[in-house]
Amino acid sequence: VPPERGVCTDVVVRALRVAAGMDLQALMHDDMRRNFSAYPKIWGLSRPDKNIDHRRVPNIQTYFKRQGYQLPLTDDPAAFEAGDIVTSLIPPQNLPHIMIVSSRRDRATGRLYVIHNIGLGTQETDELFRFELTGHYRLPREPADHAHE
């Protein structure tokens, strides 16, 4: 998918590729090939699809949880750090959404912004708690060779 296009998951996949040298698409596909039964069965597939699986928020949530990246859910802004990844549900259809916590803060409230694509391209906005959070994840901060895990 070209950088100027895509959905919320593409923002996360690209950011991890650039900032952490982590190929989430390949890592998830490898894990799903070995552990397909651990992943959601929402789409009626009988096997992994490397072209789409990494673009589905529930699959990313499952992968992050399986890797031990999941943190407790809270509405305490102090629990979030730049680089954390959060998932939510967007009403009224409760569509899964994923965002990266930014290092930028709202000047008035001190709340951290998020980087995400909610249909208007990639944006950095003060919307960490706009929707019901369904997941909070923190990947290891130390450099690692994720491409070959």
Side-chain angles (χ1 to χ4, degrees), residues 79-149:
F80 296 85
E81 296 179 7
D84 285 359
I85 297 173
V86 294
T87 57
S88 62
L89 293 175
I90 300 176
Q93 296 93 354
N94 289 326
L95 298 174
H97 186 57
I98 193 164
M99 307 172 280
I100 303 167
V101 177
S102 172
S103 60
R104 184 173 166 211
R105 294 180 181 273
D106 180 271
R107 290 180 192 219
T109 66
R111 284 189 307 255
L112 288 165
Y113 280 40
V114 291
I115 302 165
H116 63 135
N117 181 346
I118 198 162
L120 301 171
T122 304
Q123 297 183 342
E124 188 174 26
T125 60
D126 178 12
E127 296 183 290
L128 178 59
F129 297 110
R130 180 176 174 194
F131 306 111
E132 174 190 354
L133 294 181
T134 58
H136 181 191
Y137 310 93
R138 183 169 299 145
L139 282 64
R141 301 292 197 237
E142 68 275 353
D145 183 10
H146 295 286
H148 297 52
E149 287 182 350

Side-chain angles (χ1 to χ4, degrees), residues 22-69:
M22 180 181 188
D23 187 342
L24 187 60
Q25 180 177 359
L27 292 168
M28 282 183 59
H29 181 67
D30 288 345
D31 192 56
M32 289 183 81
R33 272 186 325 159
R34 290 190 305 271
N35 305 286
F36 189 67
S37 64
Y39 284 82
K41 300 297 178 262
I42 302 168
W43 304 279
L45 300 176
S46 60
R47 64 184 203 278
D49 181 343
K50 67 180 178 181
N51 298 307
I52 192 72
D53 289 332
H54 64 288
R55 297 185 80 208
R56 293 178 165 148
V57 173
N59 285 343
I60 295 174
Q61 289 176 285
T62 300
Y63 178 77
F64 285 168
K65 185 175 181 180
R66 290 178 50 73
Q67 300 307 306
Y69 302 156

Side-chain angles (χ1 to χ4, degrees), residues 1-19:
V1 178
E4 66 278 1
R5 302 192 53 144
V7 295
C8 61
T9 52
D10 295 320
V11 174
V12 173
V13 169
R14 290 176 187 134
L16 291 175
R17 196 171 279 145
V18 171

